[in-house]
Amino acid sequence: MHQYPQRPRPDDQPHPQHRPAGPYEARQPQAPQGYPQQPYASQGAPYGAPYGEYEQQQYEQQQYEQHGRAPYQGGPPVPPPPGPRPHPDGGDGYDGAYEDAYDDEPRPRRSRRAIWISAVVVLALLLGGGGFAAWKLEWFSGNGETVSFGKNPASGSGGEAGKAGGAPAEATPSGDPDVQMPTGPKAQFKQTAKLDDGTIVAKTTLVGAKSGFTGDVWVWAPKQYDDPKYAKSGFPVLIALPGGEGYPTNYWADRSLGLHKAISDGVAAGTSLPYVVIMPVLNPDAKYYYDGSDIPGQPKMGTWMAEDVPNFAKANFRTYKSRDGWAFMGSSSGAFVGMKTVLQHPDKFKAVIASGGEIVPDSPLWKGHQAEMDANNPEKLAKKLIDRKGPEVYINFQIGTKEGGKDRMVKFQQEYGKGPVKTTIRDIQNGEHNGWHYVRGMKEGSLEWISKVLKAPKPEAG
């Protein structure tokens, strides 16, 4: 067993609520506002148990061995429960992806003959069946290449999220005055993943003009974005925020979580709008959690999220000028930031899907800055919005039935879910604190709910 070094924390305390980024996130109850929480293992039965701690330890061991990253010191490893592991899509099948990295019993060694036989069988399958079909799909073909979004309807150039050979000319906007054509300058995108329908996830680095922070951003556009019928239409934007450390990656950019496919499937089924998805880093480093806020003396992550990221989307995509085309979604700490930003800037954003139960700011970096922390507290922001009677905002909470935190959502709904603050709570049956299950909840109704309150793109007739 590896003994991991301790990452430094303020006052030698552990980090509050966040965990290493990944679709399975270890959870623990929130501490009083502005103070660090106690170590995970001391909390008794943690949220998301028994899988959360196990996934955390597995992630930390991998990071420590591969990258030398000092992980969070979180108590003894917890072995996985007996029986099959849950499948990411909510099924019960064990897919072999999560072997116990802390099994103390020696495993039987396979004979060389058995290994060679297995290799031959796998090779035969690859050449003759499903493996070859998967190979032809070229899921990873083009990764690292420069790509662009938006097709010139006159020449057909530049689209299909196609190879960039200069910025394609944009069509003249439709008669809708709310349509915002790309303002530029265009970013340079590098493909990071390709979906089965040919759409891509791409990455760029954004230098925040207003926050002064520089960080990576991933983007995805639906097939409709390059359809000539929509060339003069704006598209709704969904800013997707991760939980965990939220740095240096955003796990919603990983196609395995199924977020982009869930949107595409919803569009086909008539239950989702075709969103342009923007996936920025959540924090400026992996040391602390910054509550997506401008904490005095720290990087201005509130300005990054509310100003720089939306301006980046407007520079590169056809969007809407009004708040009717802007929303957030997020899990855990990312859900908090999304909800807080919508309540803080209701003139810019209209709705949020908030998964995982985070309600109040609790970064240890708020210490000594109570007034500023209150200005970033969703409870206080909701009260102000109620007192001034609008504008209306829409908060769709999601919570798994196998995780804790619903009591906080219910309390918020009872106290602040009135007047212009519209709230709903979706229970995800057998759901845990992870991205796969939150995407399942979106497919089961949250995407449809949020799509009903946002503005759809409008195709040209004919």
Side-chain angles (χ1 to χ4, degrees):
M1 295 285 275
H2 290 284
Q3 295 297 319
Y4 302 128
Q6 174 69 46
R7 175 183 295 155
R9 303 288 179 195
D11 303 322
D12 295 321
Q13 292 293 324
H15 203 282
Q17 67 197 25
H18 71 282
R19 293 291 173 267
Y24 269 107
E25 297 177 52
R27 291 276 284 109
Q28 62 176 346
Q30 290 180 309
Q33 297 180 23
Y35 294 93
Q37 296 185 356
Q38 296 304 311
Y40 184 94
S42 68
Q43 294 290 342
Y47 296 148
Y51 302 120
E53 180 79 347
Y54 164 72
E55 294 296 339
Q56 175 194 342
Q57 293 287 349
Q58 187 180 49
Y59 174 90
E60 290 175 352
Q61 182 184 23
Q62 181 186 39
Q63 293 298 307
Y64 184 64
E65 293 178 349
Q66 294 182 4
H67 308 294
R69 178 183 295 177
Y72 176 83
Q73 191 75 17
V78 178
R85 290 301 307 271
H87 194 272
D89 64 7
D92 296 326
Y94 175 79
D95 63 2
Y98 302 101
E99 293 188 5
D100 181 12
Y102 297 94
D103 191 353
D104 293 329
E105 295 296 326
R107 301 190 180 193
R109 299 185 62 180
R110 299 177 63 187
S111 68
R112 290 186 178 181
R113 183 170 181 270
I115 293 174
W116 277 108
I117 292 174
S118 299
V120 170
V121 170
V122 170
L123 180 61
L125 289 172
L126 284 172
L127 294 176
F132 183 68
W135 180 281
K136 288 186 67 177
L137 286 175
E138 297 181 336
W139 288 341
F140 305 103
S141 175
N143 280 7
E145 293 185 5
T146 300
V147 296
S148 64
F149 296 86
K151 181 180 292 185
N152 181 345
S155 66
S157 65
E160 193 188 53
K163 305 296 182 292
E170 291 289 347
T172 302
S174 67
D176 183 356
D178 195 26
V179 173
Q180 174 73 69
M181 303 306 281
T183 61
K186 292 258 185 173
Q188 185 178 68
F189 294 104
K190 300 288 186 180
Q191 178 180 313
T192 61
K194 183 187 243 183
L195 274 67
D196 297 352
D197 63 358
T199 59
I200 64 167
V201 177
K203 171 186 173 183
T204 191
T205 298
L206 170 63
V207 179
K210 294 192 174 182
S211 68
F213 171 70
T214 298
D216 289 337
V217 181
W218 291 258
V219 301
W220 175 82
K223 290 183 68 174
Q224 290 75 14
Y225 191 82
D226 282 323
D227 187 329
K229 294 195 300 292
Y230 292 91
K232 298 180 180 181
S233 176
F235 276 74
V237 174
L238 188 63
I239 302 174
L241 304 180
E245 290 175 343
Y247 179 90
T249 62
N250 182 320
Y251 55 61
W252 294 118
D254 187 337
R255 58 165 286 167
S256 70
L257 286 180
L259 171 62
H260 319 101
K261 185 177 186 302
I263 294 173
S264 296
D265 291 348
V267 173
T271 57
S272 175
L273 298 181
Y275 296 98
V276 170
V277 182
I278 309 295
M279 299 158 279
V281 293
L282 182 67
N283 291 309
D285 55 48
K287 295 178 181 178
Y288 308 116
Y289 177 58
Y290 294 75
D291 280 336
S293 304
D294 291 354
I295 300 176
Q298 305 298 331
K300 295 183 177 181
M301 301 312 292
T303 300
W304 160 263
M305 204 62 68
E307 301 283 347
D308 290 331
V309 171
N311 288 344
F312 158 82
K314 293 173 185 177
N316 289 279
F317 295 93
R318 302 188 303 275
T319 59
Y320 288 116
K321 298 174 185 176
S322 74
R323 73 191 195 106
D324 292 338
W326 294 86
F328 282 87
M329 64 145 287
S331 58
S332 192
S333 49
F336 165 83
V337 174
M339 179 174 67
K340 187 268 295 189
T341 306
V342 168
L343 290 166
Q344 200 169 38
H345 302 281
D347 57 323
K348 298 179 180 179
F349 310 102
K350 191 173 186 179
V352 61
I353 298 175
S355 306
E358 311 299 346
I359 303 293
V360 297
D362 61 356
S363 171
L365 300 172
W366 286 117
K367 191 172 182 180
H369 304 288
Q370 185 65 44
E372 292 86 350
M373 185 173 72
D374 288 345
N376 289 272
N377 186 329
E379 295 177 342
K380 297 181 183 298
L381 291 168
K383 186 177 185 307
K384 288 183 179 179
L385 199 58
I386 294 168
D387 291 344
R388 68 173 184 255
K389 302 184 182 341
E392 291 183 347
V393 295
Y394 297 82
I395 302 171
N396 183 99
F397 290 113
Q398 289 197 138
I399 192 75
T401 59
K402 290 187 176 180
E403 65 172 318
K406 184 177 180 179
D407 56 329
R408 297 194 291 271
M409 295 178 173
V410 171
K411 181 176 180 290
F412 183 91
Q413 185 180 53
Q414 291 174 343
E415 295 185 10
Y416 306 105
K418 52 192 173 184
V421 183
K422 312 297 184 182
T423 62
T424 186
I425 301 175
R426 172 169 295 278
D427 291 325
I428 304 171
Q429 295 303 315
N430 298 313
E432 298 171 13
H433 195 79
N434 67 66
W436 289 300
H437 291 177
Y438 295 146
V439 170
R440 175 156 62 86
M442 294 175 70
K443 292 190 291 185
E444 291 171 353
S446 295
L447 267 176
E448 183 174 13
W449 182 89
I450 199 173
S451 294
K452 289 179 178 178
V453 302
L454 294 173
K455 189 170 183 176
K458 185 177 180 180
E460 289 187 302

